Amino acid sequence: MIDEINHQPRMGVEIAGISFNNPVLGASGTFGYGLEFADLIDLNRLGGFATKGLSARPLSGNPPPRIVETHGGMLNAIGLQNIGARAFIQEKLPLLASYDTRVIANVFGYSDDEYIEAITILNDGDGIAAYELNISCPNVKEGGIVIGNSPVAAARLTEKAKRASNRPLIVKLSPNVTDIAQLARAIAEAGADCLSLINTIVGMSIDVNTRRPSLSYGTGGLSGPAIRPIAVRMVQEVARSVDVPLIGIGGITSATDALEFIIAGATAIQIGTANYYDPSVTMKVIDGLSTYCVSHHVSDINDLIRSLN
Ligand SMILES: Cc1cc2nc3c(=O)[nH]c(=O)nc-3n(C[C@H](O)[C@H](O)[C@H](O)COP(=O)(O)O)c2cc1C
């Protein structure tokens, strides 16, 4: 319903019982712990954000170089550097409490047990709206298989995480699979409340002078506008395969980009790499979505979700 007085469209969305001010969220790993953006944007206007991936214990990540620019994007191999779940609760959550924005704790581990350990620690933190499980992680106990590349391993972890968690569970899909719909179905059936997609696509860049990989780790995750069409296609495929709400991610830089994901099937979207070159991009996308709704006579942004003709 259009607001009678100022004719503003309704921008709020709901996922698994969580109300977001609007569908625009900051993506994990590009938005720090949210506080880094407090002086750059109005956090109270943001729908929410996903924290940098949190593990049970702090990690220092890979040695540099950890980031390299590519056409229309970048490759990163940060190695999941983070302050650890306990420090997040003690140092960051109390400061985040003064902002009206939803905090999603992105969680990872190098075995199922490590994921559960991180979730168990975070369960004691006040002000976390949901968990986002980053399953694009090698499982050391299973010889380094990436959990998110196997529907069986991903479903098993989802089930365990759902049992351990006292909050809604978002599972973030790896795009590095042959059949994203099959992966999505397995994870939804295992009890995920929401799916977010996509994480970065594995890529590589080589320095031809040294004939070494440009990144110290060798390969890295490709993000930015270059991956957007792949991400939109995957969101649309997953939307046709599961009923749980979706969060669309991948190369979003504008309201038009965000709308592609919403129309394809996403209830909300996350913006990652674009924050690096324009820290206020989230605010611009919020304004742009509102402008689109007004000019297209859409009174409620929810009417656009899964509206692909
Ligand atoms: C530097 C960097 C670090 C990231 N760290 C994480 C992370 O810790 N956990 C996670 O789930 N995704 C992480 N991501 C993936 C992003 O959240 C996002 O899924 C991906 O970059 C695609 O969106 P974009 O094209 O808007 O950046 C990271 C991405 C970048 C560029």
Side-chain angles (χ1 to χ4, degrees):
M1 191 178 59
I2 295 225
D3 186 307
E4 293 293 328
I5 299 164
N6 54 20
H7 300 284
Q8 287 302 307
R10 179 177 167 229
M11 296 297 286
V13 296
E14 200 182 294
I15 292 175
I18 312 156
S19 297
F20 294 88
N21 299 334
N22 58 66
V24 180
L25 320 179
S28 176
T30 66
F31 219 76
Y33 303 103
L35 298 164
E36 293 85 341
F37 281 76
D39 292 336
L40 299 167
I41 59 169
D42 181 0
L43 281 178
N44 298 308
R45 286 193 62 215
L46 189 67
F49 71 93
T51 65
K52 174 68 189 160
L54 294 163
S55 46
R57 277 161 290 280
L59 286 174
S60 52
N62 294 324
R66 312 198 289 184
I67 285 186
V68 59
E69 273 190 49
T70 61
H71 279 298
M74 62 186 249
L75 281 170
N76 92 83
I78 302 291
L80 297 168
Q81 174 181 5
N82 78 101
I83 59 171
R86 280 196 184 84
F88 175 69
I89 292 179
Q90 286 158 9
E91 296 166 22
K92 309 293 180 186
L93 274 180
L95 300 173
L96 286 167
S98 56
Y99 297 100
D100 176 23
T101 193
R102 301 292 88 80
V103 179
I104 297 172
N106 183 284
V107 177
F108 74 96
Y110 290 104
S111 67
D112 288 9
D113 292 347
E114 284 187 19
Y115 277 91
I116 304 310
E117 201 183 338
I119 290 173
T120 308
I121 295 169
L122 291 165
N123 278 343
D124 291 334
D126 285 332
I128 299 171
Y131 297 125
E132 179 178 59
L133 221 55
N134 173 11
I135 58 172
S136 300
C137 234
N139 186 325
V140 285
K141 285 192 179 163
E142 289 181 89
I145 71 141
V146 175
I147 299 170
N149 294 358
S150 151
V152 173
R156 183 195 60 212
L157 174 61
T158 301
E159 236 175 78
K160 288 186 194 173
K162 180 68 188 162
R163 233 179 291 134
S165 160
N166 61 6
R167 303 193 160 99
L169 184 70
I170 303 164
V171 179
K172 183 165 179 178
L173 303 186
S174 161
N176 303 303
V177 293
T178 313
D179 186 347
I180 191 98
Q182 183 197 13
L183 178 70
R185 275 193 299 272
I187 293 171
E189 280 165 20
D193 298 297
C194 169
L195 304 177
S196 59
L197 67 159
I198 59 174
N199 211 317
T200 54
I201 298 173
V202 179
M204 189 179 192
S205 161
I206 293 172
D207 180 333
V208 297
N209 294 314
T210 60
R211 299 191 208 169
R212 290 172 182 277
S214 307
L215 294 168
S216 71
Y217 185 72
T219 58
L222 182 64
S223 64
I227 70 169
R228 191 172 56 245
I230 299 172
V232 171
R233 185 265 295 174
M234 287 186 162
V235 166
Q236 190 251 350
E237 249 179 61
V238 170
R240 281 202 258 164
S241 308
V242 298
D243 289 330
V244 293
L246 308 178
I247 299 176
I249 320 166
I252 298 174
T253 65
S254 68
T256 308
D257 297 344
L259 283 159
E260 285 196 51
F261 283 88
I262 293 169
I263 292 166
T267 300
I269 57 97
Q270 293 180 7
I271 302 178
T273 301
N275 288 297
Y276 285 112
Y277 58 86
D278 181 3
S280 64
V281 64
T282 47
M283 301 292 110
K284 290 173 187 162
V285 172
I286 293 166
D287 292 339
L289 288 178
S290 185
T291 304
Y292 174 92
C293 287
V294 171
S295 63
H296 288 74
H297 309 290
V298 175
S299 57
D300 183 342
I301 193 144
N302 288 276
D303 294 343
L304 295 173
I305 301 165
R306 297 186 187 231
S307 66
L308 184 67
N309 288 320

